[in-house]
Amino acid sequence: YHNPCSFLPMKENFRDAKTLQPVLLPKGEFRQFFLTAHVTKDVPAGLYKGAVEMADAKGAKLGAVPVALRVLDFVLPQPKDYSGKKDYLTASYSYISFDLIMQENGGDAALARKQLKAVLKDQVDHNQLMHMVRGSVDSEGYFTAKTMLEVGMRKDVQIGGASPGGAGEEGIAAGKRQADYWDRVIGHHNIYIAYGDEPGSWWLKQTRPVYEAAQKAGFKFFIAGGDSVFNKAGYIYDWHNVAKDPVNDSSTRLWNQLDRAHVAWYANHHVGPENPAFNRRQYGLGPYLAGFGCNYN
């Protein structure tokens, strides 16, 4: 259960104003505004110039901020990791799911469906094309996965939505039943199963047969943790999230020797300062040059 605070954006009567509202600008205090330009494919290449004007409450002009936007004559491909071999994946740890949204909006299922779709669409608009399915092979997992496809998220890979079925032949059979289900729902079972969290060495050793059974059924595995994951089960994992700074390459140098797993980072600067340049480096060139293969903060 996600305990909501006094800020309740999922309540039905919570909505943005239809127009930009006035804001106070006290002397010596900082205010930040984000301007997002959506460039469609039919916009001709070139340099477009304009300005953002500011006025006081009576309409008198206070100043203007010049804006220039260069539209290039090509579409950027999806990014690769530093090796150039694997897609650079981008997602986020989040508590955004149909069930949790419904808890925060007062139990309105119809509203929760609209809200989840809007949240996922916003992620796509900002080039985040993967989202963790917190439900499993159930109605919530089904709805979330189908909604992800509707809003334009990736159609060839998914995080979550499946669970290991145990070890041995029984585990393989359970995994294949889940694989058949997701093949029907989303057209593939290229799914990273999230199983365990920041475990110790003993747990990793004991659960190897569980990983192997699910992988024989066609699934992949994801886990967060430290270097013990590499030492005890690095040959099994397909995605590893490490709690380190995104420019710290000590873990990527280990994992990239195997040329197998996507390595992500988390637990560093969850929100961060109001500094777009810093955030772009943290989620862009910093982890890319440090050898990470995905963002999953």
Side-chain angles (χ1 to χ4, degrees):
Y1 176 74
H2 180 56
N3 187 24
C5 61
S6 58
F7 181 73
L8 300 172
M10 292 303 177
K11 290 292 186 180
E12 186 174 16
N13 61 352
F14 186 103
R15 55 176 56 89
D16 286 336
K18 292 184 178 180
T19 59
L20 186 64
Q21 299 299 295
V23 62
L24 293 175
L25 298 174
K27 184 177 181 180
E29 293 187 15
F30 181 70
R31 294 289 184 270
Q32 184 166 359
F33 300 86
F34 287 93
L35 180 65
T36 302
H38 294 282
V39 181
T40 57
K41 292 182 180 180
D42 58 344
V43 175
L47 183 64
Y48 295 81
K49 295 182 177 181
V52 177
E53 295 186 349
M54 293 165 288
D56 64 18
K58 296 180 180 179
K61 184 176 178 181
L62 299 176
V65 179
V67 176
L69 177 67
R70 184 180 299 278
V71 177
L72 303 175
D73 59 353
F74 60 88
V75 176
L76 287 171
Q78 288 301 313
K80 297 288 186 181
D81 68 0
Y82 196 63
S83 73
K85 299 175 183 178
K86 297 190 292 287
D87 288 351
Y88 194 102
L89 305 177
T90 300
S92 60
Y93 270 130
S94 69
Y95 291 91
I96 299 168
S97 69
F98 176 76
D99 179 60
L100 293 172
I101 287 175
M102 195 163 68
Q103 289 179 22
E104 293 194 357
N105 74 10
D108 189 330
L111 178 61
R113 292 188 182 93
K114 294 179 182 178
Q115 291 171 324
L116 177 62
K117 186 172 183 177
V119 169
L120 296 178
K121 177 63 167 61
D122 186 62
Q123 290 181 1
V124 171
D125 288 343
H126 292 83
N127 209 32
Q128 181 173 309
L129 304 181
M130 299 175 69
H131 176 80
M132 187 177 199
V133 179
R134 289 201 168 269
S136 188
V137 181
D138 55 21
S139 58
E140 180 175 344
Y142 173 88
F143 172 73
T144 303
K146 297 294 281 188
T147 305
M148 287 160 54
L149 297 182
E150 288 177 19
V151 300
M153 287 193 164
R154 290 185 63 142
K155 296 178 172 61
D156 60 341
V157 62
Q158 178 173 294
I159 311 170
S163 56
E169 294 301 320
E170 184 178 334
I172 296 173
K176 287 183 176 179
R177 288 193 294 271
Q178 292 188 79
D180 290 342
Y181 170 83
W182 284 115
D183 285 343
R184 295 192 301 271
V185 172
I186 58 176
H188 70 85
H189 58 274
N190 183 28
I191 294 175
Y192 291 88
I193 296 176
Y195 181 52
D197 187 36
E198 300 181 343
S201 298
W202 182 88
W203 188 92
L204 288 161
K205 183 178 177 181
Q206 294 298 112
T207 49
R208 286 173 186 163
V210 177
Y211 309 145
E212 291 167 350
Q215 286 175 329
K216 286 178 181 177
F219 290 106
K220 295 177 179 178
F221 268 99
F222 155 86
I223 201 168
D227 290 343
S228 62
V229 177
F230 178 84
N231 296 330
K232 295 297 182 181
Y235 69 99
I236 293 175
Y237 275 101
D238 307 282
W239 182 322
H240 175 56
N241 226 14
V242 60
K244 291 185 178 178
D245 192 283
V247 297
N248 183 338
D249 69 350
S250 59
S251 287
T252 56
R253 281 187 281 110
L254 279 178
W255 284 87
N256 290 344
Q257 294 176 80
L258 298 181
D259 195 26
R260 174 188 173 91
H262 287 275
V263 185
W265 54 275
Y266 73 106
N268 256 291
H269 305 302
H270 285 300
V271 178
E274 294 178 333
N275 184 335
F278 173 84
N279 289 320
R280 281 195 295 269
R281 291 186 181 95
Q282 170 168 294
Y283 289 96
L285 283 176
Y288 173 74
L289 294 174
F292 287 94
C294 46
N295 286 337
Y296 202 37
N297 197 11

